[in-house]
Structures are given as C-alpha cells and as structure tokens.
Amino acid sequence: MSILKVRGLEARHGLLQAVRGVDLDLREGERLALVGANGAGKTTLLRTLAGIHPASAGMIEFDGTDVTSVPAYRRAAMGIALVPEGRRLFASMTVAENLQVALSTRRTGRWNLDSVVEAFPQIKPKLKALAGSLSGGQQQAVAIGRALITNPRVLLLDEVSLGLSPAAVQGVYDSLATVVAEGTTLILVEQDLQRTFDVAGRLLCMLEGVVVASGHTDEMTRDEVMAHYFGHHV
Ligand code: ATP
C-alpha cells in the first residue's frame, strides 16, 4: 500500500494554476524526485503535500487517511515533514531552540536531539549560536535536523543545495547519506541531476504544473530527463 496517494491534485497562486492534476503514489521506503524547470510547480506541490499551501482540487491520502483538509501542524504530527526551500529557520533563536520547536510534533523513533547532532556534526559546536549567524550549509543541516527530529514517515526535501558552496552541498549530502541508508521514505526536489539520480529510485518530471514523465532512475537517462525539462518529446 502507498503511504502517500495523491489524485488529481491542483494548487493555485491566485489565477495561476501551479499544480495541475497531479497523481502520485509513494510506497514506504521509496525515494522519489521531482524534476523540472523553475516554475514547474515542484515547490508548490511539496508545500501542498505538507499542508502549508491549500489544494484547490483533488485528494491527498496519507497512510489511508484523507488529509487534504488537515492543517500543516497536524500533518507534521502524523509524520509528514518538510525541509522548506530557503531553510526558513528562526534566525534570532538559537540552533538548539530551532530544533526544540520541532519536538512538539515529534513521533517516537530513532531521531532525537542527540542523534541529529551526531548525524550532522557541523551543528554540535553551534547549538547555542543564533541560527541567523550560521553559514548556509550549517543552516541547512539545522533545517534537515529539525525535520528529522519529528521522526517523519515521509520527508519532503526542497532544494537543499540552493545557494550553498560546493563544499557545503557535499557536507549536506554526506549527512543525508545516513538518512538514505536507513530507508527513509522521501520526496526530493534537487536541481543537480547527478545527485537526483544518486538519491532517488524514481523520478517525476513536471512541466507547467503537470507530470509529463515518470520512471525508475535506472531506466531513464539524464538526456531523457533534460528533454522533459523543456517539454521536448524523446
Ligand atoms: P522553483 O525551482 O523556482 O522553486 P518550482 O518548480 O518549485 O520552481 P513553484 O515555485 O511551485 O515552481 O512555482 C510554480 C508557479 O507558481 C510559477 O509560475 C511561479 O511563478 C508561481 N508562484 C509560486 N509562488 C507564487 C506566489 N507566492 N505567488 C504567485 N505565484 C507564485
């Protein structure tokens, strides 16, 4: 059974329909990537799955429950965690406080303050520092840690490398490797196709809000995916 089942999902920004009739099935332990050009609707889709953005039509079922109208904080408590684009930390709170905020929606599981700090060692010396004073890579580690602490059943990762130096991106992905190795169910949005292929078992290509192609990463080439970015048929 799918842990996440999405049917005919639509989401709007005013008159603009950013997500148009998306169907999606995610099985437990699966890692799915959403790819597509800027503005394809990937971020809006992730935010709609997390309940931060409203669906204008369609259905989202999580572990057999219709959550389409369930508010974000309750979806978080049920096990859907979003690492948002741009990290969105509380800049004037400490790193420890940023992590503690997530404890209110924590489910039982292997992730807690100590195990997150162990998985993201770059956080350790910074626990008492203000989140806004950290480097981009450190902030991203905190943002991922904040999502993991809830022990999510589905982790949504939105462009974790955006704006980071190559070394910082490597650091973030080194830590994510632990998460991947543990079989965490996740949906990833990542501009770097090589990293996408490395992490994800399956891809959905989006163009102007529509899923135009999908497939397993071992059955698709990067050229095929690139063609879908621009709406060409291969
Ligand atoms: P990106 O890689 O740039 O984040 P994306 O694939 O995630 O792209 P979205 O950010 O979901 O795409 O944007 C989908 C469409 O919705 C785009 O046309 C975008 O301009 C529009 N859009 C996104 N956010 C807003 C907003 N807050 N107000 C109005 N339009 C928006």
Side-chain angles (χ1 to χ4, degrees), residues 13-14 16 18 36-45 85 158-159 189 191:
H13 297 285
L16 183 110
N38 284 346
K42 308 177 299 293
T43 293
T44 305
L45 175 55
E85 189 175 73
D158 197 357
E159 301 213 25
V189 173
Q191 293 292 344

Side-chain angles (χ1 to χ4, degrees), residues 24-215:
L24 184 159
D25 286 282
L26 186 71
R27 280 179 287 107
E28 216 145 22
E30 204 176 14
R31 293 186 298 277
L32 176 72
L34 305 176
V35 300
N38 284 346
K42 308 177 299 293
T43 293
T44 305
L45 175 55
L46 287 192
R47 288 168 57 84
T48 307
L49 296 178
I52 292 162
H53 192 91
S56 51
M59 182 209 71
I60 305 167
E61 207 176 272
F62 177 67
D63 199 19
T65 304
D66 185 341
V67 296
T68 320
S69 313
V70 170
Y73 76 93
R74 281 195 40 217
R75 285 191 221 186
M78 291 169 84
I80 302 177
L82 172 67
V83 179
E85 189 175 73
R87 309 181 264 279
R88 306 279 180 125
L89 298 181
F90 298 105
S92 54
M93 284 166 58
T94 66
V95 167
E97 286 165 347
N98 269 275
L99 294 171
Q100 278 152 6
V101 165
L103 293 177
S104 63
T105 47
R106 184 175 181 271
R107 299 153 31 82
T108 52
R110 73 89 99 198
W111 293 107
N112 54 36
L113 203 51
D114 289 341
S115 58
V116 160
V117 171
E118 195 182 315
F120 294 87
Q122 61 269 57
I123 294 178
K124 194 167 191 175
K126 297 289 180 182
L127 282 170
K128 290 180 179 155
L130 296 183
S133 72
L134 268 56
S135 71
Q138 291 165 338
Q139 290 194 21
Q140 190 63 70
V142 177
I144 296 171
R146 181 176 61 177
L148 282 178
I149 263 185
T150 67
N151 286 299
R153 297 186 65 193
V154 175
L155 179 65
L156 309 173
L157 295 158
D158 197 357
E159 301 213 25
V160 293
S161 5
L162 199 69
L164 302 185
S165 70
V169 172
Q170 191 56 48
V172 166
Y173 271 89
D174 285 347
S175 304
L176 272 180
T178 318
V179 177
V180 167
E182 288 179 358
T184 308
T185 311
L186 59 86
I187 303 183
L188 171 83
V189 173
E190 167 58 69
Q191 293 292 344
D192 182 331
L193 263 192
Q194 187 55 53
R195 292 200 186 273
T196 302
F197 271 84
D198 289 348
V199 171
R202 200 155 60 87
L203 293 181
L204 292 185
C205 301
M206 291 183 73
L207 182 71
E208 294 172 2
V210 177
V211 175
V212 290
S214 67

